[in-house]
Amino acid sequence: MSYEAYKDSSLGFTTRQLHAGYNPGEHYRSKAVPIYHTAAFELGDFDRCTRLFDYSEEGHSYVRFSNPTNDVLEKRIASLEGGSAALSLSSGMAAISNTFLNLAAAGDEIAAVQTLYGGSTTLLNKILPEYGIRGRFIEDENDIESYKRAINEKTKAIYIESLGNPGMNIVDIEAIANLAHENGIPLVIDNTFATPYLIKAFDYGADILCYSATKYLAGHGTIIAGLVVEKGGFDWHNGKFPQFDSFYEEYKDSIGEEELRKNIFTKRLRIRYLTDFGSHLSPTNAFYLLQGMETLSLRMERHVENALKVAQFLESHPQILQVSYPGLESSPYYNLAKKYFPKGSGAILSIRLKGGLEAAKKVLERVRIFDYMVNVGDAKSLIVHSATSTHFGQSKEQREKAGVYDDTLRLSVGIEDSEDLIADLRQALDSL
Ligand code: PLP
C-alpha cells in the first residue's frame, strides 16, 4: 500500500488523530509509532554534523533537541489544531514557562486574566518578576476595556485560558484576539481543558496554544507532558520583538527565510529554550501521549455528555449553593459557550456547597467513584478541594477572584456510566 494518510490535512479529525504525522514507510513499516529510546544519534559524516547543528538539515543529533517519536507527536497536534508547527515539552508548566520566556525579556509585560491555573498565576506574579518580566492582571476579564487598560508599550502578549480553571469561565476570545492584534501582540491560550476537539482556537484568532497534555490529550493519567502549537502568520518583525529579529538574522541562511517566516516562534522555542533550558519530553512519554490522542474525539464526546448530566443533577440538589458549568443555561457564560464550544463546553465543573468547608470535606470522604486527586482530564472521574491544593498559597482574595472559595469542589467528570457518577454524588450529598 502507499501511505498517504499521514500528510492529508483534508481528512477528518478522528482520522487525523490516528494517522497524522506518521508515515510507517519511514520506520520499517512499523504500525505503532516506534519509541526511539536513545540519548543521541550517530551523526554520519562531518558535513552532515555541521548541517544538523546549524539547522540547515532536518534530522536528529541529541534527544534534548529532538527525537523522531516526538516529531510524530508534534506533527499530529499541529495537524489537529490546523497550526504550522508544534513543540513537545516535559510538562504543561514547561510549555507555559518556556512560551513566556520566548515572548518576553526583562522590562516586558504579559497581560493575563486572573482566572488561571494556580501554577500559571504563580509564574506571572512571583517567578517571572524575579527575572524582570511582569505579569499584569486584567481587572475584569469580561470587559474588553479592562484588557485595554492592561496593555501598554511593554506588553508582549495577552494570556488567557479557553475554559478557565476551575470556574470554567469563558472570555470573548475573538474580541480579545482582535485587541491583541491591533496592538501588535499575540494572543496565547492555555487550551488544556478544551482540547482541539472542542474548540478550533486558531479560527478565533489565537496565535499560540499551550497544553498540559497530561490531561485530556493523554486521557489515561499516566504521564506528565506539555505541548506548544503555533498558528503561523503572526508578524514577529513588527518592531516589538527584537529577539525574533536577531534570531531571524542568525538563522535565515541556514534554516531558510520561508521556513522561518512560517514557524519562527517554534524554531526559537526549540533552539533557545528546549535545547538549553532542557525540558524535553522523553520519547516514551511522547509514545504514551500519542496512544491517548488516538481516542481523543471519542473520549471528549463522552466527557461532555456526562458532564452536562452531572451538572444538571447537581444544580437540582438542595445541598448545592452553585454549579459553575458553562453548558448550563443558568451559567453567565452560556451564550459564549454556545458560540465557542458548540460540541460541549468541557467536562470540568466546580460546585459550592451550602454547608461550607465542613460539607466539602464530608463529600470528599464519602465519594466512592470520584477519586480525590489534583489531576483533571483523566478518563476516570476526579474530585478535589481547590483552595487547599491547586490554588494553595494564593491569598483568599486572589483565589476568590478565580472562583475558588473554601466551600468549592472541582469535579473532573470522566467517561464512566453517567448513572453511576450521579448515584455516587447523590449518596455523598444526601448524607450531609
Ligand atoms: N494548565 C492547566 C489549565 C492545568 O490545569 C495544569 C495542571 O493542572 C497546567 C497547565 C500545568 O500542567 P502540568 O501539570 O502538565 O505541568
Side-chain angles (χ1 to χ4, degrees):
M1 70 169 288
S2 75
Y3 296 110
E4 299 292 334
Y6 72 96
K7 59 179 179 188
D8 184 351
S9 59
S10 71
L11 295 170
F13 188 95
T14 302
T15 310
R16 280 179 292 126
Q17 77 189 5
L18 288 152
H19 295 281
Y22 180 61
N23 176 5
E26 292 170 358
H27 302 268
Y28 297 97
R29 296 180 182 257
S30 165
K31 192 53 214 160
V33 177
I35 304 173
Y36 282 82
H37 227 298
T38 180
F41 291 82
E42 206 272 320
L43 295 165
D45 54 55
F46 186 87
D47 289 345
R48 182 167 181 272
C49 170
T50 310
R51 291 195 302 275
L52 285 176
F53 272 77
D54 74 5
Y55 295 94
S56 58
E57 179 172 321
E58 280 195 20
H60 307 282
S61 56
Y62 192 60
V63 169
R64 180 153 44 75
F65 315 166
S66 66
N67 176 293
T69 312
N70 299 47
D71 213 32
V72 175
L73 170 64
E74 288 157 2
K75 289 192 171 113
R76 189 155 301 173
I77 186 70
S79 167
L80 295 179
E81 292 289 5
S84 65
L87 189 69
S88 52
L89 297 102
S90 56
S91 68
M93 284 321 298
I96 296 164
S97 54
N98 284 277
T99 291
F100 288 156
L101 292 171
N102 205 20
L103 286 164
D108 292 341
E109 295 186 1
I110 290 168
V113 295
Q114 304 192 47
T115 48
L116 293 176
Y117 170 62
S120 305
T121 306
T122 307
L123 199 55
L124 287 163
N125 71 2
K126 293 205 174 118
I127 302 169
L128 289 177
E130 291 179 3
Y131 299 86
I133 301 169
R134 174 173 175 188
R136 190 185 278 272
F137 289 97
I138 287 143
E139 282 288 313
D140 178 359
E141 60 195 50
N142 301 311
D143 174 16
I144 198 77
E145 295 304 317
S146 196
Y147 291 78
K148 289 183 188 163
R149 283 195 292 277
I151 295 174
N152 59 45
E153 71 286 353
K154 296 182 204 152
T155 314
K156 299 298 155 140
I158 302 182
Y159 183 69
I160 63 171
E161 290 178 359
S162 50
L163 288 168
N165 183 351
M168 296 297 273
N169 52 305
I170 302 174
V171 292
D172 193 351
I173 299 171
E174 225 166 7
I176 299 164
N178 289 339
L179 179 69
H181 298 155
E182 280 160 23
N183 285 276
I185 55 175
L187 174 64
V188 182
I189 303 188
D190 179 336
N191 204 32
T192 299
F193 284 11
T195 83
Y197 184 66
L198 295 182
I199 188 169
K200 288 270 153 291
F202 289 148
D203 291 353
Y204 296 112
D207 299 287
I208 305 292
L209 302 177
C210 294
Y211 276 105
S212 168
T214 314
K215 312 292 182 327
Y216 292 105
L217 291 178
H220 36 55
T222 61
I223 55 154
I224 300 286
L227 293 168
V228 178
V229 194
E230 176 178 8
K231 179 183 184 184
F234 182 83
D235 179 12
W236 297 101
H237 305 293
N238 63 6
K240 281 190 168 272
F241 301 93
Q243 71 272 39
F244 288 105
D245 295 333
S246 53
F247 186 83
Y248 184 80
E249 285 307 312
E250 197 177 331
Y251 285 99
K252 72 177 182 336
D253 295 332
S254 52
I255 294 179
E257 296 186 17
E258 197 189 328
E259 183 67 12
L260 274 180
R261 269 197 297 272
K262 264 196 312 202
N263 301 325
I264 194 165
F265 186 87
T266 310
K267 284 272 183 318
R268 188 170 184 274
L269 193 62
R270 183 190 297 284
I271 293 173
R272 287 282 183 271
Y273 292 99
L274 184 70
T275 297
D276 288 332
F277 273 20
S279 34
H280 97 285
L281 177 68
S282 88
T284 309
N285 283 352
F287 171 83
Y288 283 131
L289 181 49
L290 280 162
Q291 290 292 109
M293 281 165 64
E294 290 192 352
T295 56
L296 178 66
S297 61
L298 308 179
R299 284 185 284 109
M300 291 316 288
E301 277 168 13
R302 179 65 170 250
H303 273 295
V304 294
E305 185 190 321
N306 279 2
L308 184 59
K309 287 182 186 161
V310 167
Q312 283 165 341
F313 158 73
L314 288 167
E315 197 167 44
S316 68
H317 197 281
Q319 291 293 342
I320 299 289
L321 181 65
Q322 191 191 338
V323 182
S324 298
Y325 182 66
L328 290 174
E329 278 180 46
S330 58
S331 166
Y333 305 107
Y334 183 68
N335 288 334
L336 286 170
K338 280 178 97 172
K339 171 175 175 180
Y340 291 113
F341 298 95
K343 291 189 197 138
S345 38
I348 294 163
L349 45 103
S350 67
I351 54 175
R352 296 188 64 192
L353 291 145
K354 286 189 183 152
L357 178 62
E358 283 312 308
K361 280 191 199 165
K362 283 188 189 136
V363 171
L364 289 171
E365 276 163 22
R366 290 175 190 172
V367 282
R368 296 172 189 152
I369 296 175
F370 279 80
D371 287 305
Y372 182 12
M373 287 167 64
V374 285
N375 201 13
V376 291
D378 196 309
K380 299 162 213 88
S381 290
L382 316 173
I383 189 165
V384 79
H385 182 246
S386 304
T388 49
S389 57
T390 54
H391 289 65
F392 178 79
Q394 293 187 11
S395 69
K396 195 170 159 64
E397 191 198 356
Q398 208 170 33
R399 275 197 279 118
E400 291 187 354
K401 276 194 180 145
V404 177
Y405 299 84
D406 288 343
D407 57 14
T408 301
L409 292 175
R410 181 186 72 187
L411 279 66
S412 173
V413 180
I415 61 173
E416 297 95 339
D417 295 302
S418 57
E419 311 82 65
D420 292 336
L421 297 179
I422 290 170
D424 190 30
L425 293 168
R426 180 180 284 122
Q427 62 81 24
L429 291 166
D430 284 354
S431 69
L432 292 177

